[in-house]
Amino acid sequence: MWWPEVVRRAVKTGADRELVGIYPRRADLPRSVFRQAIERANSRLWFGGYTSYFVWLEVPGAVTTLAAKASAGADLRFLLGDPESPVTAERDRVEATPLTLATRIAMTRAEIAKADAAIPVRRSDRHVAMSVWVFDDEAIVATQIGAGLGQDSVTLHLRRGQAGGAFDRYVEHFESLWSEGKPVGPQG
């Protein structure tokens, strides 16, 4: 029948129903997607990018918005790369850019420090090739390819649509990295 086929094509019913969009590069993700995901989120804002440096460049007023969300009780977390790790040094060698990962991590830490709210930060080197940002039931996942910078990563925009789906798997991944990450104090 023609009608059920039209419905099947128009309404996602399979494993891909959580996929909102896929972009060849994170730089191709419209800036509004990240900004709106942050604005819509009320309970969970998890930043699992190795540097998450671009947040401060692309999201106007990010520090103020995040501080307000944290003060209102949102679970706000930053999992950053370990600037002292050999993994970080090797990735810097591969990327071969003057703006090192350690510098970008330090810039993100400096922005977080401007917030008038406590924002927990942990560090790890296990997510050097894949970033996961979670905003309530939305996620943005970027996977690095080759020597490209984070902005060159293939990027998925997901929205939770089922238990145990891709969204939940990425949340589990973030939680695993977070639980193993090293807490960063005000000076560390």
Side-chain angles (χ1 to χ4, degrees):
M1 288 209 142
W2 189 72
W3 168 248
E5 182 58 29
V6 169
V7 170
R8 266 193 293 279
R9 279 188 271 154
V11 177
K12 292 183 178 186
T13 58
D16 69 340
R17 74 174 139 224
E18 294 188 318
L19 183 62
V20 177
I22 184 167
Y23 303 88
R25 286 166 207 78
R26 194 193 71 225
D28 297 329
L29 178 77
R31 288 181 177 182
S32 62
V33 171
F34 212 89
R35 181 180 45 77
Q36 289 170 356
I38 291 171
E39 289 171 357
R40 281 192 298 263
N42 293 310
S43 61
R44 172 173 53 189
L45 296 97
W46 294 353
F47 293 81
Y50 210 73
T51 71
S52 289
Y53 170 68
F54 74 96
V55 171
W56 320 109
L57 302 175
E58 296 182 8
V59 180
V63 171
T64 304
T65 300
L66 295 176
K69 300 251 180 201
S71 295
D75 179 6
L76 179 56
R77 306 176 188 181
F78 272 84
L79 179 68
L80 299 174
D82 182 345
E84 300 167 7
S85 167
V87 171
T88 302
E90 175 58 19
R91 187 64 201 175
D92 273 335
R93 187 194 66 72
V94 169
E95 288 184 2
T97 182
L99 191 58
T100 67
L101 290 167
T103 299
R104 288 178 269 165
I105 291 166
M107 293 173 89
T108 290
R109 296 270 326 277
E111 289 297 319
I112 292 169
K114 293 177 185 175
D116 59 355
I119 299 175
V121 177
R122 293 189 182 180
R123 62 184 183 169
S124 170
D125 64 10
R126 289 191 43 220
H127 64 300
V128 71
M130 182 171 62
S131 298
V132 178
W133 298 278
V134 181
F135 309 101
D136 289 348
D137 286 344
E138 254 182 288
I140 298 169
V141 178
T143 57
Q144 275 193 303
I145 295 177
L149 299 174
Q151 67 194 17
D152 298 320
S153 301
V154 174
T155 301
L156 308 172
H157 179 196
L158 303 170
R159 189 165 293 122
R160 188 173 193 277
Q162 63 191 19
F167 175 89
D168 286 352
R169 302 276 322 274
Y170 283 116
V171 166
E172 290 168 9
H173 174 69
F174 182 98
E175 288 176 321
S176 170
L177 293 173
W178 183 259
S179 69
E180 296 172 12
K182 298 173 194 152
V184 176
Q187 305 305 322

